[in-house]
Each structure stands twice: as structure tokens, then as C-alpha cells.
Amino acid sequence: MNNCFHCGEPVPKGEQRWLEIDGERRPFCCAGCEAVSKLILAAGMDDFYRFRTELSPRVEPADPARWQAFDSPDVLASFARLDGGVYEASLQLDDIRCAACGWLIEKTLGERDGVCDIRLNPVNGRAVLRWRQDEVPLSSLFASLDALGFRPRPLDGDATEARDEHERHGLLRRLAVAGFGMMQAMMYGIAMYLGIDMSAEFEHFFRHVSLLIATPVVFYAAAPFFRGALRAARGRTLGMDVPLSIAILIAYGASVVNAFRGSGEVYFDSVSMFVFFLLIGRYVEAVARHRVSDSARALGASLPASATRIRADGESEDVPLASLSNDDIVLVTRGSAVPADGVIVEGAAELDESLLTGEAHGVLRKPGDALAAGAINLGAPFRMRVVRTGNDTLIAGIARLLDRAQASRPRLARYADRLARRFVAAVLLAAGVTALAWAYLDPAQAFEITLSVLIVTCPCALGLAVPVALTAATNAITRRGVLTVNSDALEQLEGITDVVFDKTGTLTVGKPSIRRILINGAVSEDDCLALAAGLEMEANHPLARAFLERAPKRAVVSKVEQLPGEGLRGEHEGMNLRLGRPEFAAAGEAVPGEGSWIALADDNRVLAWFEVVDALREEAAHAIAELHAAGLRVHLLSGDSEDTVAAIARRLGIRHARGRQRPEDKLAVIEALHAEGARVLMIGDGINDAPVLGGADVSIAMATGAELAQASADFVLTGSLRAIAPLLEHARRTRRIMRQNLAWAFSYNMLAVPLAAAGLVTPWMAAIGMSASSLLVTLNALRLNRVRDATDRDLPETLRELRSS
């Protein structure tokens, strides 16, 4: 059997497609591969097949109409930048195999009218395209790329990613310059350090060569420190870059003078070494800092570039993600990511939600179940109805929470910053005192000893001790499904003694259903459900969905008012309706039996009783057991009946449980615990829990809860309840490592200052000591990148790799 000359796949039996290339007849497997080869030959690019190092991907015949949505001005504005009539967009091209693929793409598109420039990196498949939309529409260019077999999609032009990449590359370039300068300057300086006899001409030559080598190190590699010092000077503050810059400039300046004078010490090797080790510390710190941003970008990258939308006529079309609207019907195929938040309308799904929750196992979803954007379909194709798109999705909200956490400075970090600024003033004062003392004792050594004091006492380690630890810790717990909203909360978790749980949506799955309906009057069951659904129309509570899904219709209810902890009331055709707790709605009537009951009543009587059930989370019992094992007291506070709450508490092993708790009752319990000296962690879901979350020492809201509850919380839990015990342990470990870092930073400086002031530390030794101190603090903090728990082995391989990176 022949293989396709273009893609290498077997040619189907009976397929007769041949082209003459390089004097030989070449077979092709399909019309797509044949069309691409004809395009290559027609463009005079016969060399493509000689240059390629791998076979090309198989090409399906392209449909130009599928790309027309990208010509919409609104869609273009979402990923392309317009400058002087020229659009510029970053693209990701799939199936780039080798350099010949890049050559083919650049040659094909580069010769099109209206294309100003296209640059492609064949290693990662990323391209930058500049074109005039009025001369050649983007849909036409995308269709050409698709015809070549390289499916294009817009690359998220995240400014943070570009800035981080620019910073990393810049530091690496400076590090290379400083490293080269350090090695060369040390090579020339070692002869003088060893006291080897040499002629004055050779010594003069070595000094000037060292000057030439050290100059780019000082003025290029060390430029970030000078800029930082200049900013501090303009702001009239004392930052860590101030003593660094002073030390570098003084050492370099004195060395230049002595080099031209032909006498005195030169410190070009010490300056180069100092800058090199400083840049190593800066680079490691920058990588640690960027990892939290990488977590947020990973969420955005989990979304597909396009979606398969089902039109009204039943046909499907590929559209960019930005073109999706609420109530669109979308087909999600096996292996594809869910493009937006929505609800399954046809088919069942097994989803991988690990990027959102940290849980590795597939989650089963059936028609009517909610879906989160970014989840991967592991099973058969299904159809969904879009509910939220773009910035309204859960994944976008998570990214905003991460951004908010990164933008804030924790209290302990602010304290360390203030301490470092004061320490800088002390360093400058100590250097001044040392200079005066040695100018009196031995003027010949005054300069070198003062320089050593300036270098060795730089408070870099002190400035890195807290922020790098908090950054690493936040990054680690984010990967376990815990999002940090309040930057101070991680520090406050250490002293927690009591954990208080709400029930609905926290220990339960948050999907209550109506098991029984008891009618108590002339109103039919369907009408009672319609009235209840009308009252629940605007409610943002899991119970509301139970009524809305069960009711065959919805009555029009006006003047609806929600009473936290009680229920709802409103008006319908002259009737004053109440729906909620028996004490609120039933006016003293007896509850029909055990269990959780909701009453619907008017001014005169109860119209119906609804028995509501909500399954416990699978991991709830394990999570409670882990908290007990950690020595914590666990409480359950719920608005459900005493019998229901007691039964759940027995199943979960919770010894402190209370039912019939209104928000003010829950808050009173927390205040009573505070009066006993306890520190309380509250975990809740729903708008009723917002005041209680705010009253606890630290609070966690479920990601599926009401927005107000999440806004009141310090953390948002997107994963399993079993992440809570590791979170508390990780908080204690974070505090321990921060204390270690601060203790080391202070101990090092307390030891180094006297030694340097006594003349026992040379400038090059000071450079190594200071840099080693900063590196030690940073590497110690990076140990927090990993959350240690028993379920780590169950995480997907991708998350384990991310943790270990």
C-alpha cells in the first residue's frame, strides 16, 4: 500500500490522486493533502519537501465560511491591536512539526497582498501576524492556514505574561554578562591576589582589561539596581537598592581612579561577583513571584479558542469563543474543553475539573447539571446551553480573585518592608561610622572595610524573607483548589482552634431536591409549586433551583422580599405569600414529621409542605476526621431542624451541632467561642452566611455560593473539603518558614556587621556572603511550593508536574 507523500498516512484503497514532484509521481491520501501540494508547487516552493524534517499533518478540505466570525470588529478587538490601519495579532498554530513548516507559512502568507509581516517560532508554534484588514480579511488568511493544515487560533495576549517573560529574559541576559565579567575579572585578578611577581606593565595591563570587562557589568547588568535606587531617591525612601547601588558605584569609581593612577587596590572582580550573585537572587525571586501569575494564566489557557455552536436549523458551526452568547446551544466533543458556564441539555458527561478543583477523578454530569468553563470532556459528546460567558464565568471570577490577592500586600510583608527600610538607614549609618573609625585607626584600610560593611549588610534577605514565602504558599494552595482573597488570612490561620461548618452547600452537595409534597387545602400541587417557583425566581440559593426545576410553571409574584435565615414573602393576586422555615411561614403549625420541611402559606393557612433532601458530599466524613485528627473542635450550625442536623452530625462524627440557627444565632455562637478564647474558622455557602463569615477570625466560602458570601470570605474553596486540613497545616508551615527566614536574616546581619567592621571580611567575601544569604532565604521559601497531604498521589500528572516545577 502506498503512503501519502504529504502526510505519510496510508492511501485508501481506490483513491487515485497523483502529482509529479521532482520528476516522480507522488501519491496522496485525500483532496486536502493534494490541494496543499498543488498550492506549494504553484507558489514555486518545491524546496519545501526537500527541506522538511518531518511529515506534514493530514489536511481536511477547509471551509472558508467557518472563519468569517473573525472579521467582526468586536471579535478582532478582543485579541488584535490596531495601529495606523494595521492590525497585529499573536496566534497559536497547531501541528507545526519542523522549520520547513515555518518556512512554508511565512512564504505563503508573506506574499499575500495586505500582509505586512508574519513571524513564526516553529518550536512553540506561536506567530505574530500584521495585516491590513481592508485589503485582506483575517478570515481569508485563517482559511489559507487551515488549508495548509495548520489550524490557527488567537493567542491570549496577556500583558502580564509578556511582562514576566520580558523580565525573565532580561535578567538572564544581565546574568550572562555579569557571569562572564566575573570569571574574566577573577582570572586577571587572581595573580595579584596570590602575590605573584609581575612587571608594572603587566599589572597596569591587567587593571585596564579588568576595567573594560567590569564596565558593562556595572552599567548594563547592574542597571536594575540603579533604577531602583533612583526611584527610591525620588520617592524619598530608603529601599534595598540604595546601599547596593552605593556599594557598586563606590567600588567601581575607586577602582577606575586607582587603575588610571597605577596604584591602590582595584575591586573590578569583587564588583562583578557582587552583581552576579545579586542577579542570581533576583532571578530566583522573580521565578517564584511569577508562578502565581502562571496559575491564573493556566486557568485562561484552559478555555478553547472556538466552540461548535448548533444553529437553529440544526447545523453546526465553529465560532470564536467571543461570539458565544447566553442561551446558545453548544456541542462539546470528547477531549474538548467546556467553552462557557452552562447546563447540559442533551447527553451525559464525564468531566475532568482538576484545573478548577485540584481533584483528579472524573465527575459525572447529567442533563440539567451545571457546567464550569474549562472542564475537559472525558466521555461522549454532549450538548449544553450557555449560561455565562467571558468575564462572567466561574473561571474568570477565579482569575480575578487571584489578581486581587497578588495586588495586595499582607500585613507581615508590609512590616518586613518597613523593617528593611529602617535597616537600610542603619546600614548606611554603620558604614559611615566604620569609615570614620578606620580613617582614624588606619586610613589605608578605611575604604575597603567600609565597602565590605556596605555589601555584607544589604538587607536583601530580610526583604525576601516574607514575600517569597507567602507567594510560594499562595501558589501551592491555589493548585489545591483554595483561592486566597485576603492576603493576611494565611498568616491568621495558624492559631485556629475551632472550625464551624454550615450545612447546605458546604457539607452537602448544594443540590437540594423536593422528595415529598403535602397539600393542605384547595390549591393543587402544581399551583403550589408554581407559587413557590415564582417566589424563588430571583433567589440565589441552592434551594431555589429545586423549586424552579420541579415546578411545571411559574406564577407571577410581585414585591418579593428575601429575609435572611427565614425565607421569602411576596404578593400574588391579592394573596400575601410566605415560603420558608416553619417558624416563619407556618405560624406555629406542627411540622408533618422528621426531616427538613419548607412551608408555603398565605395569611390564613399553610398551603403546602415540601420535604427537602440534599446529599452529603462524598468527602465530608474524611474532611471532618482529618480536622479532628489535627486537634480541632468541629461545629455544625444550620437552619435545618434539630433532628436533621443531629442526624447529619452523627453520620459525620461532629460532636457540637445546632439546628434552627438564623444568621444572628450563628454569629452569637462565634462570639461565644471568641469569649472562650477560641480562634474560629467559618466555612459557609450562600447569602445567609455572609455576616457570619465576616464575624469569624478566618472564613472560607464555597465557590458555588453567593457572590456576597465569597466577597465576605478570606478564601474561596473550588475543590474538595479535604483541602481544608492541609490548608491549616500549610499555614502553620508557612509561618514556621517565615520565622526561619527572618531569624536567619537577622542572625546573619548581626554576625556579619561586626566581622566586616573589624576588617575580617574582604569585599569579595562580603559579596558571596550577602548573596548566599538571599539565596538561602529564597530557596527555603520555595519549599512551600508543595502542599504536603495524603491525597497528593491522587492528583493528575499535570498538577504534580506543576507542583514540582
Side-chain angles (χ1 to χ4, degrees):
M1 178 179 289
N2 291 326
N3 290 332
C4 177
F5 181 67
H6 183 76
C7 70
E9 293 190 10
V11 177
K13 188 175 181 180
E15 190 74 50
Q16 298 293 323
R17 297 183 184 277
W18 302 85
L19 288 176
E20 187 165 326
I21 300 175
D22 291 336
E24 295 185 32
R25 292 183 76 228
R26 308 289 189 179
F28 294 89
C29 65
C30 63
C33 289
E34 182 186 27
V36 169
S37 290
K38 286 181 178 179
L39 177 64
I40 292 171
L41 297 176
M45 295 184 287
D46 311 53
D47 289 339
F48 168 74
Y49 291 111
R50 288 194 291 272
F51 292 157
R52 68 177 179 175
T53 57
E54 292 187 31
L55 293 170
S56 304
R58 178 170 178 164
V59 182
E60 302 295 338
D63 178 14
R66 70 186 299 184
W67 304 106
Q68 287 179 356
F70 286 98
D71 293 332
S72 164
D74 291 337
V75 175
L76 276 175
S78 68
F79 67 89
R81 185 172 62 89
L82 180 61
D83 184 13
V86 177
Y87 279 95
E88 180 177 314
S90 297
L91 308 175
Q92 180 69 49
L93 305 182
D94 295 336
D95 294 318
I96 301 291
R97 303 290 176 85
C98 60
C101 296
W103 175 83
L104 172 62
I105 291 168
E106 291 178 349
K107 189 79 173 173
T108 304
L109 262 64
E111 294 181 354
R112 292 283 299 271
D113 291 338
V115 175
C116 303
D117 183 38
I118 178 168
R119 288 166 290 158
L120 173 71
N121 182 350
V123 175
N124 55 25
R126 292 186 177 184
V128 176
L129 175 65
R130 299 178 70 248
W131 81 102
R132 296 184 181 275
Q133 181 70 12
D134 55 348
E135 295 182 24
V136 55
L138 184 60
S139 59
S140 173
L141 300 177
F142 275 10
S144 296
L145 290 169
D146 193 23
L148 290 172
F150 308 108
R151 185 183 177 92
R153 52 191 170 92
L155 183 69
D156 183 16
D158 193 292
T160 304
E161 181 178 11
R163 184 183 67 242
D164 290 352
E165 188 172 353
H166 177 75
E167 181 183 8
R168 284 194 296 267
H169 288 173
L171 284 171
L172 283 174
R173 287 193 297 269
R174 297 177 196 278
L175 197 56
V177 171
F180 176 79
M182 177 188 69
M183 290 186 293
Q184 294 300 313
M186 288 291 291
M187 183 179 69
Y188 291 121
I190 194 168
M192 290 180 281
Y193 283 128
L194 295 176
I196 298 174
D197 291 333
M198 65 178 70
S199 65
E201 288 80 7
F202 268 111
E203 184 174 347
H204 187 68
F205 173 74
F206 283 162
R207 286 170 179 261
H208 282 77
V209 171
S210 298
L211 166 61
L212 291 174
I213 291 169
T215 297
V217 174
V218 171
F219 292 104
Y220 172 71
F225 307 118
F226 299 146
R227 286 196 292 266
L230 186 60
R231 284 194 298 269
R234 287 173 178 166
R236 299 186 178 183
T237 62
L238 289 174
M240 287 184 292
D241 289 332
V242 172
L244 294 179
S245 300
I246 291 173
I248 293 170
L249 290 175
I250 287 178
Y252 176 78
S255 300
V256 170
V257 171
N258 291 341
F260 282 104
R261 226 173 41 174
S263 63
E265 294 292 334
V266 293
Y267 306 99
F268 296 122
D269 52 347
S270 296
V271 168
S272 300
M273 182 187 297
F274 184 40
V275 173
F276 176 73
F277 284 119
L278 280 174
L279 287 171
I280 288 178
R282 286 287 171 97
Y283 181 76
V284 173
E285 184 265 337
V287 170
R289 181 164 32 86
H290 295 162
R291 280 177 175 166
V292 175
S293 299
D294 291 342
S295 300
R297 285 195 292 271
L299 293 173
S302 68
L303 296 178
S306 60
T308 303
R309 183 168 59 191
I310 307 300
R311 300 199 302 255
D313 60 5
E315 296 296 319
S316 63
E317 59 178 349
D318 283 349
V319 297
L321 211 59
S323 296
L324 288 181
S325 302
N326 289 353
D327 295 324
D328 280 349
I329 302 299
V330 173
L331 176 67
V332 182
T333 58
R334 180 183 177 88
S336 298
V338 176
D341 289 356
V343 176
I344 296 180
V345 295
E346 183 181 318
E350 182 182 359
L351 300 173
D352 176 3
E353 299 178 348
S354 58
L355 192 62
L356 292 169
T357 66
E359 297 299 309
H361 55 78
V363 180
L364 298 178
R365 300 282 188 239
K366 61 183 183 300
D369 285 351
L371 302 171
I376 306 297
N377 180 18
L378 303 177
F382 62 88
R383 296 189 180 192
M384 60 172 283
R385 177 173 56 84
V386 175
V387 174
R388 288 181 296 271
T389 62
N391 289 329
D392 296 328
T393 59
L394 173 62
I395 206 168
I398 290 173
R400 286 194 296 272
L401 287 176
L402 291 175
D403 290 340
R404 187 194 307 174
Q406 293 176 64
S408 60
R409 294 282 289 166
R411 182 192 60 80
L412 197 56
R414 295 193 298 271
Y415 171 73
D417 286 345
R418 288 194 300 271
L419 203 59
R421 286 195 294 271
R422 292 172 184 169
F423 193 81
V424 168
V427 166
L428 296 177
L429 180 62
V433 171
T434 302
L436 292 174
W438 279 97
Y440 175 76
L441 296 173
D442 188 353
Q445 296 190 64
F447 179 80
E448 182 172 312
I449 293 174
T450 302
L451 181 61
S452 296
V453 171
L454 271 175
I455 293 174
V456 82
T457 55
C458 172
C460 291
L462 183 60
L464 294 173
V466 173
V468 176
L470 287 174
T471 298
T474 302
N475 186 38
I477 65 174
T478 296
R479 293 196 301 271
R480 275 303 279 141
V482 181
L483 308 178
T484 304
V485 179
N486 176 7
S487 57
D488 290 326
L490 194 62
E491 174 196 349
Q492 296 165 357
L493 272 174
E494 185 193 19
I496 292 298
T497 59
D498 292 69
V499 181
V500 177
F501 283 94
D502 175 49
K503 181 183 74 69
T504 304
T506 304
L507 292 175
T508 65
V509 295
K511 295 180 180 178
S513 59
I514 300 171
R515 181 160 64 183
R516 281 194 296 167
I517 303 176
L518 302 179
I519 303 301
N520 188 21
V523 183
S524 69
E525 179 178 309
D526 285 350
D527 287 341
C528 286
L529 283 169
L531 291 171
L535 284 163
E536 296 279 13
M537 278 286 289
E538 301 300 325
N540 188 20
H541 190 277
L543 187 58
R545 293 193 292 272
F547 285 101
L548 295 173
E549 291 172 3
R550 181 73 179 267
K553 58 184 178 179
R554 299 172 188 176
V556 178
V557 181
S558 60
K559 299 182 180 178
V560 176
E561 183 182 359
Q562 184 165 338
L563 305 176
E566 301 286 359
L568 299 150
R569 62 187 177 199
E571 295 182 7
H572 172 72
E573 296 181 356
M575 287 193 301
N576 293 316
L577 299 174
R578 297 185 305 280
L579 177 70
R581 293 158 51 104
E583 295 89 342
F584 165 69
E589 291 192 26
V591 176
E594 294 185 355
S596 298
W597 291 91
I598 299 295
L600 172 68
D602 61 13
D603 285 335
N604 301 315
R605 64 194 186 286
V606 172
L607 302 178
W609 290 95
F610 304 96
E611 186 184 9
V612 179
V613 293
D614 190 4
L616 286 172
R617 292 180 182 268
E618 292 180 3
E619 76 276 13
H622 290 289
I624 300 300
E626 288 166 357
L627 293 172
H628 281 144
L632 300 166
R633 289 192 301 175
V634 180
H635 306 256
L636 173 58
L637 303 179
S638 175
D640 270 344
S641 68
E642 294 280 3
D643 293 339
T644 301
V645 173
I648 290 176
R650 283 194 300 271
R651 287 182 59 185
L652 297 179
I654 299 176
R655 291 185 288 274
H656 308 280
R658 300 188 187 191
R660 299 300 183 201
Q661 295 290 296
R662 298 178 177 85
E664 57 269 25
D665 299 326
K666 297 178 183 179
L667 192 56
V669 172
I670 289 178
E671 289 172 351
L673 290 172
H674 283 157
E676 297 172 4
R679 286 182 55 80
V680 180
L681 168 64
M682 172 70 191
I683 305 163
D685 172 84
I687 198 167
N688 292 344
D689 295 322
V692 192
L693 292 171
D697 295 286
V698 185
S699 55
I700 300 176
M702 308 302 289
T704 54
E707 290 183 7
L708 180 57
Q710 294 178 17
S712 303
D714 299 305
F715 298 95
V716 173
L717 183 65
T718 64
S720 165
L721 290 174
R722 297 193 69 180
I724 297 171
L727 170 65
L728 294 168
E729 167 58 27
H730 203 62
R732 287 190 286 269
R733 189 164 166 245
T734 300
R735 288 278 291 183
R736 187 166 62 249
I737 285 180
M738 285 193 296
R739 289 193 190 105
Q740 290 172 0
N741 284 351
L742 288 170
W744 166 255
F746 278 113
S747 300
Y748 162 78
N749 281 290
M750 293 303 101
L751 178 66
V753 170
L755 292 175
L760 301 176
V761 178
T762 62
W764 68 267
M765 293 169 60
I768 293 176
M770 187 281 302
S771 303
S773 175
S774 299
L775 278 175
L776 180 64
V777 163
T778 301
L779 294 174
N780 189 43
L782 290 180
R783 293 194 296 134
L784 291 168
N785 262 317
R786 183 175 182 83
V787 179
R788 298 183 299 192
D789 61 28
T791 61
D792 187 61
R793 62 182 179 272
D794 296 328
L795 291 177
E797 187 64 28
T798 52
L799 280 180
R800 289 205 297 269
E801 290 174 359
L802 182 61
R803 282 189 173 191
S804 61
S805 60

